[in-house]
């Protein structure tokens, strides 16, 4: 395990990890931090006044030593967590008059105990909607009331406790048009604005975000997001930031990421990199993992060069929990830690950028 790791360190240069006498980081059940010879990412990022996050909920359902290991590594390296699924409509609102907050609440309890902030994700999305909602037939007036009730209740439950909410997720198609889906179809284009206004009314302090994928670089879809958010800012619709999901393929980080962050920042918006992962074809080659490590370093470096870019959050703790293999067959190994909880070149890419 040491070989590839130090190989990447050499490649990235300027690393100052401990050498002789380093703890055995390869014991499978060892509760010791996976990267005991480095400074935690959260310590490095605090010095830059930003946050480094990860997503999880599968890991929080491990038991025994697996759970201990998951929680320790997460709390050691990250200062922010996003529930990966537990705040989604189908989970948190399983029946019309029933909300189920316990799973996400337990992540918040962990976050409190470990000194982590939490990003709420997502309030309004076209996917992972409860079947009572998708199978019903609703008038536009009823649909508006359902959206309003959902946002008001969920934001109200977490009032004062979150760093940010992804209020509306993935409202745009790749050609920049509004993406068809239950809320657009039933409520009409006003659903986006309605969601932001309801969220602000339910929590006056939490930062409200529009979140999407394929809007990381300058392209027709991010042009459309930019126009929408500029218009919201001009009209005083409550919005504080844009979330760039950043589900990348190794070698595919857009060259215009910085330029794009810069134009959203110029609207007075915060920018969060919300769901960063960089997938590679599996089995992964050493060359691909080196490209991935450099991509991670570049993304973090780019974010750091804009004060508005206050969060980089990866979409999962380790390659064991990652959504990538099931969502993108043939790809994997997208995160900072491998399935044995060992830090990869990708981790040291982030480390290098933060140092
Ligand atoms: C994904 C989760 O990671 C999976 O566990 C789940 O099965 C599907 O959703 N964009 C988003 C996230 O905003 O909520 C998605 O998360 C990934 C794409």
């Amino acid at each position: 395990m040491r070989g590839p790791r130090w190989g990447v360190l050499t490649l990235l240069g300027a690393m100052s990890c401990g050498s002789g006498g380093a703890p055995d980081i390869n014991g499978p059940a060892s509760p010791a931090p996976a990267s005991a010879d480095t400074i935690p990412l959260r310590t490095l990022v605090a010095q830059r006044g930003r946050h480094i996050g990860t997503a999880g909920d599968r890991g929080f359902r491990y038991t025994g030593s697996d759970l201990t290991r998951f929680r320790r590594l997460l709390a050691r390296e990250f200062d922010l967590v996003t529930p990966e699924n537990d705040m989604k409509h189908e989970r948190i609102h399983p029946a019309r008059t029933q909300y189920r907050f316990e799973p996400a609440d337990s992540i918040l309890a962990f976050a409190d105990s470990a000194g982590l902030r939490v990003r709420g994700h997502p309030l309004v999305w076209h996917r992972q909607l409860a079947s009572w909602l998708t199978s019903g037939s609703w008038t536009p007036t009823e649909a508006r009331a359902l959206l309003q009730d959902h946002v008001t209740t969920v934001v109200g439950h977490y009032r004062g406790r979150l760093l940010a909410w992804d209020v509306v997720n993935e409202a745009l198609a790749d050609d920049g048009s509004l993406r068809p889906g239950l809320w657009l179809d039933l409520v009409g284009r006003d659903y986006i604005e309605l969601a932001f206004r309801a969220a602000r009314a339910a929590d006056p302090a939490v930062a409200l975000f529009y979140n999407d994928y394929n809007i990381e670089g300058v392209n027709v879809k991010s042009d459309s997001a930019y126009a929408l958010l500029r218009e919201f800012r001009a009209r005083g619709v409550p919005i504080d930031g844009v979330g760039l999901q950043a589900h990348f393929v190794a070698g595919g980080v857009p060259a215009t990421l910085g330029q794009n962050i810069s134009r959203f920042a110029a609207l007075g918006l915060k920018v969060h990199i919300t769901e960063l992962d960089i997938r590679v074809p599996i089995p992964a080659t050493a060359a691909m993992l080196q490209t991935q490590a450099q991509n991670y370093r570049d993304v973090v470096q780019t974010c750091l060069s804009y004060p508005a870019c206050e969060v980089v959050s990866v979409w999962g703790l380790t390659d064991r929990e990652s959504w990538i293999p099931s969502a993108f067959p043939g790809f994997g190994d997208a995160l900072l830690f491998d399935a044995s909880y060992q830090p990869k070149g990708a981790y040291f890419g982030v480390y290098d950028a933060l140092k």
Side-chain angles (χ1 to χ4, degrees), residues 84-85 88 121 125 128 169-170 245 247 275 315 323:
E84 189 170 347
N85 291 288
K88 289 176 180 173
H121 166 85
W125 191 25
Q128 291 180 266
N169 196 33
E170 302 181 355
Q245 289 187 10
H247 296 292
E275 304 181 17
W315 202 240
W323 75 307

Side-chain angles (χ1 to χ4, degrees), residues 55 57-58 82-85 88 90-91 121-122 125 127-128 166 169-170 211-213 245 247 274-275 277 315-316 321-324 326-328:
D57 50 33
R58 182 167 165 211
T82 303
E84 189 170 347
N85 291 288
K88 289 176 180 173
E90 66 181 2
R91 295 262 179 108
H121 166 85
W125 191 25
R127 297 183 58 202
Q128 291 180 266
D166 290 332
N169 196 33
E170 302 181 355
N211 189 53
D212 212 330
Y213 64 92
Q245 289 187 10
H247 296 292
T274 52
E275 304 181 17
D277 49 25
W315 202 240
E321 292 91 29
S322 171
W323 75 307
I324 290 294
S326 56
F328 299 92

Side-chain angles (χ1 to χ4, degrees), residues 38-177:
T38 60
I39 303 164
L41 300 180
R42 65 181 288 175
T43 305
L44 295 175
V45 85
Q47 291 161 6
R48 307 295 209 102
R50 323 288 176 107
H51 295 285
I52 182 96
T54 187
D57 50 33
R58 182 167 165 211
F60 284 105
R61 285 192 251 292
Y62 291 154
T63 55
S65 61
D66 280 351
L67 179 62
T68 305
R69 184 167 70 160
F70 176 87
R71 290 168 57 129
R72 279 201 190 184
L73 181 60
L74 199 164
R76 178 181 197 269
E77 296 292 342
F78 298 93
D79 72 345
L80 175 75
V81 65
T82 303
E84 189 170 347
N85 291 288
D86 283 339
M87 290 175 161
K88 289 176 180 173
H89 191 278
E90 66 181 2
R91 295 262 179 108
I92 209 163
H93 196 170
R96 186 171 177 179
T97 57
Q98 186 205 342
Y99 286 86
R100 183 164 182 262
F101 293 113
E102 294 79 12
D105 285 356
S106 74
I107 296 178
L108 262 80
F110 165 78
D112 285 347
S113 72
L116 276 67
R117 301 303 311 271
V118 179
R119 288 191 93 260
H121 166 85
L123 292 167
V124 176
W125 191 25
H126 68 287
R127 297 183 58 202
Q128 291 180 266
L129 296 166
S131 59
W132 66 264
L133 177 64
T134 55
S135 63
S137 66
W138 315 100
T139 66
T141 309
E142 285 170 331
R144 277 179 87 90
L146 288 170
L147 184 145
Q148 193 110 28
D149 168 69
H150 181 80
V151 172
T152 304
T153 306
V154 176
V155 176
H157 182 82
Y158 293 107
R159 180 182 167 117
R161 297 188 63 195
L162 304 183
L163 179 70
W165 261 115
D166 290 332
V167 178
V168 175
N169 196 33
E170 302 181 355
L172 297 171
D174 277 345
D175 67 359
S177 64

Side-chain angles (χ1 to χ4, degrees), residues 28-29 67 72 77 105 196 205 218 228 264 273 292 300 331 338:
L67 179 62
R72 279 201 190 184
E77 296 292 342
D105 285 356
F196 278 95
V218 174
L228 178 76
F264 282 105
I273 309 239
Q292 178 192 57
V300 174
F331 287 85
D338 70 18

Side-chain angles (χ1 to χ4, degrees), residues 214-227:
N214 288 351
I215 61 164
E216 296 83 9
V218 174
N219 58 40
V220 66
K221 184 172 181 179
S222 65
D223 285 352
S224 171
Y226 176 78

Side-chain angles (χ1 to χ4, degrees), residues 271-342:
V271 179
H272 289 183
I273 309 239
T274 52
E275 304 181 17
L276 177 62
D277 49 25
I278 304 181
R279 61 188 181 270
V280 300
I282 43 174
T285 63
M288 267 298 176
L289 292 173
Q290 284 181 3
T291 300
Q292 178 192 57
Q294 282 175 332
N295 288 167
Y296 266 107
R297 186 177 63 175
D298 289 347
V299 170
V300 174
Q301 248 166 14
T302 301
C303 177
L304 287 174
S305 53
Y306 299 93
C309 189
E310 58 175 30
V311 165
V312 174
S313 198
V314 293
W315 202 240
L317 183 63
T318 80
D319 291 334
R320 184 182 177 198
E321 292 91 29
S322 171
W323 75 307
I324 290 294
S326 56
F328 299 92
F331 287 85
D333 292 359
L335 293 170
L336 305 184
F337 295 91
D338 70 18
S340 308
Y341 287 62
Q342 303 310 314

